[in-house]
Amino acid sequence: MLNFILVDFKGGATFLNMDRLPHTSAVITNLAGELQLVDRMQDAINGEVIRRQELLRESGYASVFDYEKARAAGANLAPFPTLLVIVDEFSELLASKPEFVELFVTIGRVGRSLGMHLLLASQRLDESRIHKVEGHLSYRIALRTFSSMESRGVIGVGSAYELPSQPGNGYLKIDTTNLVRFKAAYVSGPCPEAPPDSDSDSATAGSGTAGTAVDVAAFGLDQQVPPPRATHATPGALAPTEHTAGAPATGLGDGEAPDSLLDVLLARLDGAGPPARQVWLPPLGAPPSLDDLLPGIVPDADHGMLAREFRAAGMLRAPVGVVDKPHEQSRDLLIADLSGSSGHVGVAGAPQTGKSALLRTLILSLALTHTPREVQFYCLDFGGGLASTAGLPHVGSVATRMDRDRVVRTVEELSQLMELRERRFAELGLESMAAYRGKRDSGEISDPYGDVFLVIDGWGILRQDFEAQESKIADLLARGLSFGVHVIGAAVRWSDFRARVRDLMGTRLELRLGDPMESDAGNRKATTVPNVPGRGLTKSGQHFLTALPRLDGLGDTEDLTTATKNAVAEIDMFWRGTRAPDVRMLPARLPAARLPVPDGDMRMCLGWDEQRLEPVLHDFARSPHLLVFGDGETGKTNLLHLVARAITGRYQPAEARIMLGDPDRGLHQAVPPEYRSGYAVDAEALGVLSTQAVNSLVPRLPGADITPERLERRDWWSGPRLFVLIDDYDLFTTGGSAGGPLAPLVRLLGNSTHIGLRLVIARSTSGAARAMMDPLLRRLWELGSPALLLSYPKEEGKFLGEAKPRLLPPGRAQFVTRRDVKLIQTGFVPPK
């Protein structure tokens, strides 16, 4: 018949222990310390108003009066209890949250028809704050006031100011004419002893003394009032148990403080009857562990550990936390549904707000609802929070910021996967990823990948250090969902995601932000998110709490990394099938024997490229020259060995000759004697060789009589091609004459293709920017000759195109052309 919502804006002692009453629907206290709970309370009570309206509408009755009348007549209707909303310190509440008055107005306007009533209490009355609701207040109570003006503000006269100072004296204003003075009953004192049995009908309760008749005159009341109810226990819920007449109602021993009357009443009513509907659920507190959200996790020999009950809800749906819905008076699972257009996920939150933990929870949740054949994860861990997932059979790779090669290869691998599937879709006439999954599951398509997730923890670092990869990831976001490629990114702020990227992230999870102005849910709601890891807002503005990535049922965050590793190890233990494919990497050493021998007259394979792990070819017919730069012991001499190996393997001595400049004698064994046209170890000897070479090549220069057709055939001269291989070119030019020992060849470089001249120049990167002023090197770069930049420090700066200084393993080089820069692993020629 009656329910309470008890609200105490300050302190919380007013309604202490009253949550034990079965009548209590909500006890909401200490709101002054957590103002965000005020909005939550407003949502909860507004939700109760709407719930009651919907209940009446569904039952077909206009008001609770009609409803209860029909129920009393025997209609099969659920109880519709009256709800009394009692708010202590409401003036303080309105001072902090002025908009809350609209809730009071709503209850005042529609509350009577819904069985909802207000009781507002405050030390001082600020009429300016309650003027909107004043017309809905039927009664006013004034205890002793601080001034006659306050008394007149409450009851219209100054009488309350003149009341005795003893607590409990007051006036009740019923209407404009009736004013009743009263003495309030006292329930906080010791519980009186139960009176002896008596047949007397007179009331026996007074101001704290049992068995004393109520003295109306003592209260100063002139009109007749009904006697107050006896304080001794009555039959029913308050019937005394094992008490004899005259014994203390509390059953306390000597020296113990007696319980108050309120305590005794609460104890007697505790559990007496069905509890009231809970309008107010406790705020989100301790985070749940993931196994709390995924019941029924059962190991299976064929499918590993799967939460079968949840898996039945559909593919690519995973719970990651709990959503607070005070308006609906409920809590729901926070589910990431990645099966459709919301397949990309964006997470934003200030530092230490739980972004990495949320990503781990999402990975584990998907892993517990899908097999490693169905989903795979490839992680770019720039925040240091994803390393604990590395042992999961669903995880193909975890790359850190320091592992630049793996980062690049991970992005390239997924880009190639998307391109491959795009071609397959066109070949097979498929229109959706669901159809592709069906053909893959039936064995019609062989593909080791299922739905693939690229997980990036630290999007700001991606933009700062991997700009080229960010543009490729943006392409994955734009086209990936159609081909089963998903992107999950976490950043410190939403602005770390470029606008075109953020718009493609259909699932957005917002933790507490450093700047609430960036919030998707609005500045006002963002300020209500507490500074607690894992707390955040959904796109619709509902509060959520992230589950912890652990499977032991605990809510502790101190050992979270260890708990995640234990969960990963447990999942891995029960999986016996194939694991997620690893990211293919460039080998640290690539034997030259593994390089293909390309077709064509002047083509050779330098190594494999990083992007596609495919051979990188150099065509001497199109680009007759090649530059090689690098620090010591980085692979310059090995590269010249590789070129010499390709020449001697492709041509006979009569078809090609090699002129060597080799001050350190590193190429002495690379070229057989029959192929040598000269071997120099100092600048003077190299100058002589270059002059001789020019003398033999000048007659090959095409004259004016050579037609374009003959120029293509090169039939006006005969003899071997000349390859000039120079190692440590910087040692030949130090202290030499202007132009260096190869200066005579400079004038022939523009016609190299027509006269069979090829240069491969290797030098140190020390002073390379200045060295590019050398006439030979400058001319080679002007002619568009490609260059291989092996490892060198950043102090040397950029000196060739857009290539930046990089420290690389031996044999790893940047292949620089006028068009682009790509990383390759050059072939390794073992020493003879």
Side-chain angles (χ1 to χ4, degrees), residues 523-805:
N523 174 34
R524 181 175 175 274
K525 287 189 176 181
T527 57
T528 65
V529 179
N531 188 12
V532 177
R535 287 293 302 272
L537 292 174
T538 64
K539 287 178 65 176
S540 58
Q542 295 171 324
H543 283 253
F544 71 81
L545 177 62
T546 307
L548 297 178
R550 58 193 309 158
L551 301 179
D552 52 12
L554 301 178
D556 190 9
T557 59
E558 294 296 327
D559 61 339
L560 197 55
T561 299
T562 301
T564 302
K565 290 181 178 180
N566 292 339
V568 167
E570 188 175 1
I571 295 172
D572 184 50
M573 180 175 62
F574 288 103
W575 177 248
R576 296 291 181 267
T578 57
R579 306 173 70 88
D582 197 3
V583 172
R584 298 174 301 159
M585 300 292 297
L586 281 175
R589 175 172 288 185
L590 178 61
R594 295 177 60 185
L595 300 179
V597 178
D599 296 332
D601 184 41
M602 302 284 288
R603 302 171 75 201
M604 69 166 290
C605 182
L606 296 174
W608 288 352
D609 77 311
E610 181 185 44
Q611 293 183 354
R612 297 183 178 275
L613 298 183
E614 294 178 349
V616 178
L617 304 181
H618 177 67
D619 191 346
F620 281 107
R622 293 178 176 272
S623 299
H625 312 300
L626 182 65
L627 294 168
V628 182
F629 291 88
D631 265 7
E633 304 298 327
T634 58
K636 300 189 303 298
T637 302
N638 175 78
L639 201 284
L640 295 177
H641 276 268
L642 185 67
V643 174
R645 181 176 184 272
I647 296 170
T648 56
R650 172 66 181 83
Y651 300 107
Q652 295 296 322
E655 298 174 315
R657 292 297 182 89
I658 301 173
M659 186 177 84
L660 292 171
D662 185 23
D664 284 340
R665 282 73 170 177
L667 299 176
H668 191 268
Q669 301 296 326
V671 180
E674 61 269 23
Y675 282 91
R676 295 179 187 172
S677 67
Y679 185 87
V681 295
D682 56 44
E684 184 179 356
L686 185 60
V688 172
L689 289 178
S690 63
T691 300
Q692 294 174 354
V694 169
N695 292 335
S696 64
L697 291 173
V698 166
R700 298 183 180 183
L701 291 173
D705 59 328
I706 302 300
T707 64
E709 292 77 11
R710 294 189 64 193
L711 194 67
E712 184 69 24
R713 293 195 304 269
R714 302 179 183 87
D715 59 357
W716 70 92
W717 60 269
S718 62
R721 300 166 177 83
L722 178 61
F723 289 86
V724 179
L725 307 185
I726 307 297
D727 196 11
D728 294 318
Y729 179 68
D730 48 310
L731 299 182
F732 285 111
T733 57
T734 302
S737 60
L742 296 181
L745 293 174
V746 174
R747 67 188 182 95
L748 300 180
L749 296 179
N751 288 293
S752 297
T753 303
H754 308 309
I755 63 177
L757 175 63
R758 308 288 184 262
L759 267 70
V760 181
I761 308 295
R763 85 172 305 278
S764 170
T765 51
S766 179
R770 184 176 64 255
M772 288 305 296
M773 300 305 296
D774 178 90
L776 178 71
L777 298 182
R778 185 172 68 249
R779 183 58 177 158
L780 289 175
W781 183 248
E782 289 172 352
L783 292 172
S785 301
L788 285 168
L789 286 183
L790 296 152
S791 177
Y792 73 102
K794 64 179 180 180
E795 288 79 7
E796 298 298 335
K798 294 169 58 175
F799 59 90
L800 281 182
E802 294 301 316
K804 299 178 181 178

Side-chain angles (χ1 to χ4, degrees), residues 52 57 93 136 144 186 234 257 308 397 463 471 566 568 603 687 693 701 729 754 769 820:
R52 288 176 171 246
R57 183 170 60 252
L93 172 61
H136 302 291
R144 188 171 184 272
Y186 185 56
T234 57
R308 297 187 179 279
S397 172
R463 289 185 58 179
S471 62
N566 292 339
V568 167
R603 302 171 75 201
L701 291 173
Y729 179 68
H754 308 309
D820 60 7

Side-chain angles (χ1 to χ4, degrees), residues 171-461:
Y171 284 98
L172 168 64
K173 183 180 180 182
I174 299 175
D175 50 35
T176 57
T177 59
N178 293 315
L179 187 65
V180 180
R181 182 177 173 185
F182 68 93
K183 176 78 170 180
Y186 185 56
V187 297
S188 298
C191 181
E193 296 179 356
D197 293 338
S198 173
D199 294 334
S200 172
D201 292 333
S202 62
T204 58
S207 180
T209 305
T212 304
V214 176
D215 185 356
V216 178
F219 292 158
L221 302 180
D222 297 328
Q223 66 272 16
Q224 294 295 319
V225 295
R229 199 167 63 182
T231 56
H232 63 271
T234 57
L238 295 180
T241 58
E242 300 182 6
H243 285 284
T244 58
T250 58
L252 296 174
D254 294 338
E256 296 184 33
D259 288 339
S260 68
L261 175 60
L262 178 61
D263 292 333
V264 174
L265 292 174
L266 293 176
R268 297 286 182 84
L269 287 170
D270 190 1
R277 174 185 172 83
Q278 293 302 296
V279 173
W280 170 269
L281 296 178
L284 295 173
S289 63
L290 185 57
D291 53 325
D292 292 334
L293 309 186
L294 285 171
I297 301 177
V298 180
D300 183 277
D302 297 325
H303 300 93
M305 289 182 65
L306 281 184
R308 297 187 179 279
E309 295 179 19
F310 191 88
R311 179 182 168 86
M315 286 285 292
L316 299 182
R317 298 178 76 252
V320 294
V322 180
V323 180
D324 187 25
K325 296 184 176 180
H327 193 270
E328 290 84 5
Q329 302 163 3
S330 66
R331 286 182 185 166
D332 287 345
L333 290 179
L334 174 63
I335 296 176
D337 188 350
L338 310 181
S339 59
S341 60
S342 298
H344 298 310
V345 182
V347 178
Q352 302 299 312
T353 55
K355 299 185 296 299
S356 298
L358 175 53
L359 294 181
R360 280 182 279 166
T361 297
L362 180 56
I363 290 172
L364 283 182
S365 186
L366 285 167
L368 287 167
T369 51
H370 301 80
T371 68
R373 176 174 168 76
E374 294 170 330
V375 298
Q376 298 86 33
F377 301 95
Y378 295 87
C379 304
L380 305 184
D381 185 14
F382 303 142
L386 302 181
S388 55
T389 65
L392 204 64
H394 306 68
V395 174
S397 172
V398 177
T400 66
R401 182 188 181 197
M402 305 302 295
D403 196 355
R404 187 181 185 90
D405 293 348
R406 183 169 288 274
V407 170
V408 175
R409 282 296 310 137
T410 299
V411 176
E412 290 296 336
E413 199 90 336
L414 299 193
S415 296
Q416 293 172 42
L417 174 63
M418 184 176 68
E419 294 173 7
L420 174 63
R421 285 184 173 177
E422 192 170 7
R423 290 194 297 269
R424 282 185 174 178
F425 273 47
E427 294 168 0
L428 300 174
L430 301 177
E431 297 181 352
S432 69
M433 189 60 194
Y436 185 85
R437 292 190 197 103
K439 287 187 173 293
R440 177 176 174 271
D441 293 341
S442 65
E444 298 180 53
I445 298 175
S446 176
D447 188 348
Y449 296 95
D451 280 83
V452 181
F453 293 83
L454 176 62
V455 185
I456 305 167
D457 187 9
W459 199 279
I461 295 177

